[in-house]
Amino acid sequence: MDVRQLRCFIAVAEELHFGRAAERLGLAPPALSRQISALEDELGVALLTRTTRQVALTRAGLIMLEEAKGILVKMTHASRAVREASLASSKMLRVGAIDAASSSFVPEALVAFRQRHPGVEIKFVEAMTGALIQMLEAGKLDLALARPPRKPTDCAFEVLRVERPIVVLNETHPLAARESLTMQDLVGEPFVVPSKRIRPYAYDLVMSYFESVGAVPNVTIEATEKPAMMSAVAAGLGMALAPDWVSRLSFPGVTMRRLRGAMLDPPPPGALVGVAWRPQQKLGARDDFLSILRESVTLIDESNVLPFTLPMQNMKRATRTGSKAGGP
């Protein structure tokens, strides 16, 4: 019996569906089935009953589910305790961040930290919020710069920044001639939205913006990562909403515009970036980095505000259009 087998069994027992459990674990269904069969063979009992229509737990399976969960919890606590004991006597800072943080304020904060603490080794990882919170809970990170946790956790969370939305559109789109846009301008336009399954925060945020004007987006494609979103916009598949830090990026065929009147109150979780940490864990390096973040990160980043100035090519286009409209 090994940890992999236990994780596979718990997933199937909770989903009661091999396909969904396999997707949850990132495994092929046949590989998942082999893990379950190997566990049953080792125990000498059937844990699941399988038919073509359903999967159910046997009595032994119900008992095994609770035991397996307890084993994994104990293993997690043990590994975390060992890591924390090691870190207490080492000089290391382990930071995790979502792209919104690593592409905006994290580099400057890390530079400031290194200047103050040149002897502390920094380990950095970029991932999405769910994965970062899991790593933090497991003792694999000292702090995580992420969206607010979606599930209950023993981690503390403090909001650092509220992101403003901007409009990403093809540079040849008629709306690109305007210096700013409103949500009403976007209703009915073909839209590229974040993946609902992989980026739920970003997806819910786009939906919230449209709901604020009583509309839903005309979705043409879902994009998982920012480069895919930019490529879709550049290909003319639609426009998109993005957080303000994306204005630091450059992509051929794509332009960006400010969005007026779209700061929702209260801001949805998908517009918030904050820091999570485990307050019961005493780490001097982490606390020093927290202080730097609180000193340096502003709630709204004025440096990422797009100017109300038309690009030169659009100004010329608008001037020519105005001349024709007002001509004889």
Side-chain angles (χ1 to χ4, degrees):
M1 185 188 310
D2 60 35
V3 175
R4 186 179 179 85
Q5 290 173 342
L6 295 180
R7 293 190 190 282
C8 289
F9 170 69
I10 290 172
V12 175
E14 290 180 342
E15 299 289 346
L16 293 179
H17 189 282
F18 272 82
R20 289 195 297 270
E23 182 178 0
R24 169 174 155 182
L25 295 170
L27 292 175
L32 176 60
S33 183
R34 286 194 296 272
Q35 292 288 337
I36 300 299
S37 296
L39 179 60
E40 289 178 322
D41 290 344
E42 184 174 343
L43 295 173
V45 297
L47 301 175
L48 303 164
T49 58
R50 310 164 177 82
T51 68
T52 55
R53 293 188 177 182
Q54 65 178 10
V55 177
L57 287 167
T58 64
R59 179 174 176 77
L62 287 169
I63 295 173
M64 186 61 191
L65 177 59
E66 295 305 313
E67 294 294 333
K69 287 181 176 180
I71 290 170
L72 291 187
V73 167
K74 289 179 180 178
M75 291 184 67
T76 299
H77 287 170
S79 62
R80 186 165 63 193
V82 170
R83 290 191 188 98
E84 290 177 0
S86 175
L87 286 170
S89 59
S90 67
K91 291 187 175 182
M92 181 183 297
L93 176 68
R94 302 169 304 166
V95 180
I98 58 174
D99 56 1
S102 62
S103 298
S104 54
F105 59 82
V106 166
E108 294 176 1
L110 288 175
V111 168
F113 179 84
R114 187 173 291 281
Q115 289 173 345
R116 296 186 193 181
H117 306 279
V120 176
E121 180 184 358
I122 299 172
K123 290 193 174 181
F124 181 82
V125 61
E126 183 176 286
M128 287 185 275
T129 292
L132 292 174
I133 298 300
Q134 287 181 359
M135 286 187 280
L136 187 61
E137 291 175 327
K140 297 179 181 179
L141 290 176
D142 300 325
L143 79 169
L145 295 149
R147 308 290 181 191
R150 296 176 76 92
K151 297 179 181 179
T153 176
D154 62 352
C155 300
F157 184 82
E158 181 179 325
V159 174
L160 294 172
R161 174 159 293 169
V162 180
E163 296 175 331
R164 308 191 211 208
I166 59 173
V167 184
V168 182
L169 66 164
N170 189 286
E171 64 183 7
T172 64
H173 194 288
L175 290 178
R178 301 187 187 180
E179 59 185 22
S180 63
L181 300 169
T182 67
M183 280 305 305
Q184 285 81 3
D185 295 324
L186 312 185
V187 175
E189 291 284 344
F191 233 80
V192 181
V193 302
S195 168
K196 182 178 182 179
R197 182 176 66 85
I198 299 175
R199 290 193 173 270
Y201 282 100
Y203 177 86
D204 291 345
L205 186 60
V206 172
M207 295 301 152
S208 296
Y209 290 138
F210 275 92
E211 287 171 5
S212 70
V213 292
V216 294
N218 175 21
V219 178
T220 57
I221 190 172
E222 288 192 4
T224 302
E225 303 295 340
K226 295 296 185 297
M229 177 191 76
M230 295 288 199
S231 295
V233 173
L237 299 180
M239 59 177 60
L241 284 178
D244 47 18
W245 62 266
V246 173
S247 63
R248 297 187 177 190
L249 306 179
S250 177
F251 203 89
V254 169
T255 190
M256 303 173 198
R257 294 291 177 271
R258 286 189 62 175
L259 187 63
R260 301 197 312 272
M263 289 288 283
L264 304 182
D265 187 17
L272 303 177
V273 182
V275 58
W277 72 99
R278 298 181 63 244
Q280 61 271 40
Q281 183 183 19
K282 305 305 179 184
L283 293 173
R286 181 212 57 201
D287 292 342
D288 288 344
F289 191 65
L290 274 173
S291 297
I292 289 173
L293 290 171
R294 290 166 177 153
E295 293 169 7
S296 61
V297 182
T298 55
L299 192 61
I300 295 178
D301 183 14
E302 297 295 341
S303 67
N304 274 337
V305 177
L306 290 169
F308 280 96
T309 304
L310 287 171
M312 187 59 64
Q313 63 268 30
N314 287 337
M315 290 180 67
K316 292 178 179 177
R317 186 187 307 135
T319 301
R320 287 197 300 270
T321 303
S323 298
K324 292 178 181 178

